[in-house]
Amino acid sequence: MWAEVSNADGAVGFVPPVTEQDVRPELLGHLTAMAEGRARLVVGRDADDRVVATAFLTLNTHRLMRHWLWVYTVMVHPSLQGRGAGRRLMAAVAETARGIDGISGIRLTCRGGTGLSRFYEACGYKEVGRVPGAIKVADDDFRDDVTMWLELG
């Protein structure tokens, strides 16, 4: 799914075209973090039990930041775009984070120029930082790196 999302212009760490082999090392990194207890996976499935949405929740190891976690690689299958799957995924992310002892906030970053910050704002996140031009998607295409925050009250 990661390659399909990337090839549909999804902002999940790659620029199309990509193959499954291109994303495999990143996936293995996430799976290793899960096996070591540093990350959790939130999965959405369709009626046929196929994975159609994912997000990785990564715990902080720094002693002053253990009260919040990162969310990485938020993806919804391209066939489900605009049908509420993303909002359901983000609600499940928040619910999962609330179930982890001591977690009071969620932080994520997104690529500017994609409309993602508006999506996350609609899910309750607020923009708390922006680094202009920090993401290079092509030789002449630089995007802002936008930091979003959700307080889990």
Side-chain angles (χ1 to χ4, degrees):
M1 183 179 76
W2 199 338
E4 289 180 83
V5 170
S6 295
N7 288 327
D9 286 329
V12 288
F14 294 92
V15 176
V18 298
T19 66
E20 290 179 12
Q21 291 308 315
D22 294 327
V23 302
R24 183 176 169 74
E26 293 296 320
L27 176 59
L28 291 176
H30 284 306
L31 296 175
T32 298
M34 289 171 53
E36 294 171 351
R38 297 180 289 115
R40 298 187 185 185
L41 174 62
V42 176
V43 173
R45 297 181 181 274
D46 67 9
D48 296 321
D49 206 34
R50 291 179 298 221
V51 174
V52 294
T54 63
F56 291 90
L57 285 64
T58 302
L59 302 169
N60 283 302
T61 57
H62 192 284
R63 67 188 153 279
L64 301 178
M65 297 181 193
R66 291 186 184 138
H67 62 287
W68 59 271
L69 56 75
W70 284 98
V71 175
Y72 292 107
T73 320
V74 175
M75 296 185 278
V76 173
H77 193 275
S79 67
L80 298 177
Q81 293 294 319
R83 296 173 47 193
R87 281 182 175 251
R88 289 190 298 277
L89 175 62
M90 295 313 294
V93 163
E95 188 62 28
T96 300
R98 283 185 184 97
I100 301 171
D101 285 341
I103 298 299
S104 60
I106 301 173
R107 185 173 171 180
L108 59 80
T109 62
C110 61
R111 186 184 303 172
T114 61
L116 287 171
S117 60
R118 286 189 308 275
F119 165 74
Y120 289 119
E121 286 172 352
C123 294
Y125 289 74
K126 65 180 178 178
E127 182 178 326
V128 295
R130 181 179 288 258
V131 181
I135 301 171
K136 182 179 179 181
V137 295
D139 285 341
D140 60 348
D141 188 356
F142 294 84
R143 307 289 179 88
D144 293 356
D145 185 19
V146 182
T147 302
M148 308 293 292
W149 176 260
L150 178 67
E151 187 73 31
L152 297 172

